[in-house]
Amino acid sequence: MRAIRGLWRWRHNPLCRPTDLAEGRVGLVALLLVVLAAPVVGVLVGGATEDALRRSVREQHADRHQVRATVVREVDPAPLNVDPEGSVGGDPRTRVLARWTASDGTEHSGPVSTRLKDPRPGDRFPLWTDAEGRPTVRPMDTVTATTHAVLAGFGVTLLTAGAIECVRRLVVRRMVHHRYVRLDRAWERAGPDWGRTGTGS
């Protein structure tokens, strides 16, 4: 911003080179793209992500059902058991053998995870099942979907702004390289006569 402001003040200065003005214009275009285009891209991506996630939420809520399961007995934890429903820290899951009735009326049983701290036979707990009555994870809610969409839009906005800045730096670097090449050529032309008295007379 300081460079653009400075170039605006001394754009009519005889010492201002055309390359300086070009760099200022490149910076101004990059700034406008970061301020205007990057947020628009983020909003579009966030909106598309939210639409897709809300469709997924509706499908999950239509296909998954919460039933009441009954503990038969506690079982040993499965090795390397990763339960996506398990919470982080302070709320460990317990593996139990349970039986439940699916939404279609069929009876099922098998090892499942529960938040019961001290499960005993006959204890009941909520269990999410799919259309076939198999245990599954809790469906995503709309708040989680919206949060993911906002994070996606914000991330894309930052990535777009970063990409614009990278392109600006590459363009300016190329312009500076060409400037030095022209200076080297001019120096080569003037070099042999540099410092000679009466040169050109």
Side-chain angles (χ1 to χ4, degrees):
M1 281 299 288
R2 263 193 317 238
I4 295 171
R5 208 165 37 239
L7 284 173
W8 182 260
R9 281 199 304 267
W10 70 293
R11 66 192 185 282
H12 296 302
N13 190 310
L15 296 178
C16 182
R17 300 166 295 189
T19 54
D20 294 328
L21 291 175
E23 286 180 26
R25 291 187 186 108
V26 168
L28 180 61
V29 169
L31 176 65
L32 290 175
L33 288 175
V34 167
V35 171
L36 300 176
V40 169
V41 172
V43 168
L44 292 176
V45 170
T49 303
E50 185 171 19
D51 290 343
L53 289 176
R54 283 185 180 273
R55 280 196 303 273
S56 179
V57 167
R58 286 193 296 270
E59 291 171 1
Q60 289 181 11
H61 278 275
D63 294 339
R64 300 178 186 182
H65 310 279
Q66 190 177 47
V67 299
R68 300 291 294 177
T70 304
V71 175
V72 177
R73 63 180 169 83
E74 189 172 353
V75 297
D76 294 331
L80 298 177
N81 178 40
V82 179
D83 184 5
E85 276 292 282
S87 56
V88 180
D91 189 13
R93 287 291 185 124
T94 305
R95 296 273 295 174
V96 297
L97 181 66
R99 64 175 183 272
W100 63 92
T101 303
S103 58
D104 60 0
T106 58
E107 296 288 335
H108 296 269
S109 64
V112 294
S113 297
T114 176
R115 283 197 174 96
L116 294 174
K117 294 180 180 177
D118 185 23
R120 298 182 182 278
D123 288 348
R124 294 174 64 80
F125 62 94
L127 177 69
W128 284 97
T129 61
D130 60 15
E132 284 77 35
R134 295 176 300 218
T136 187
V137 296
R138 178 175 56 86
M140 184 187 303
D141 55 23
T142 55
V143 174
T144 303
T146 301
T147 302
H148 287 316
V150 169
L151 291 175
F154 186 69
V156 169
T157 300
L158 292 180
L159 287 175
T160 304
I164 292 169
E165 175 61 14
C166 288
V167 171
R168 184 197 70 82
R169 287 176 181 265
L170 288 174
V171 170
V172 170
R173 183 176 178 181
R174 193 83 167 157
M175 294 170 69
V176 170
H177 174 72
H178 286 309
R179 179 192 303 162
Y180 285 139
V181 168
R182 286 195 300 272
L183 285 173
D184 288 341
R185 288 176 185 161
W187 180 257
E188 287 174 2
R189 286 193 301 269
D193 295 331
W194 184 258
R196 293 184 186 174
T197 306
T199 298
S201 57

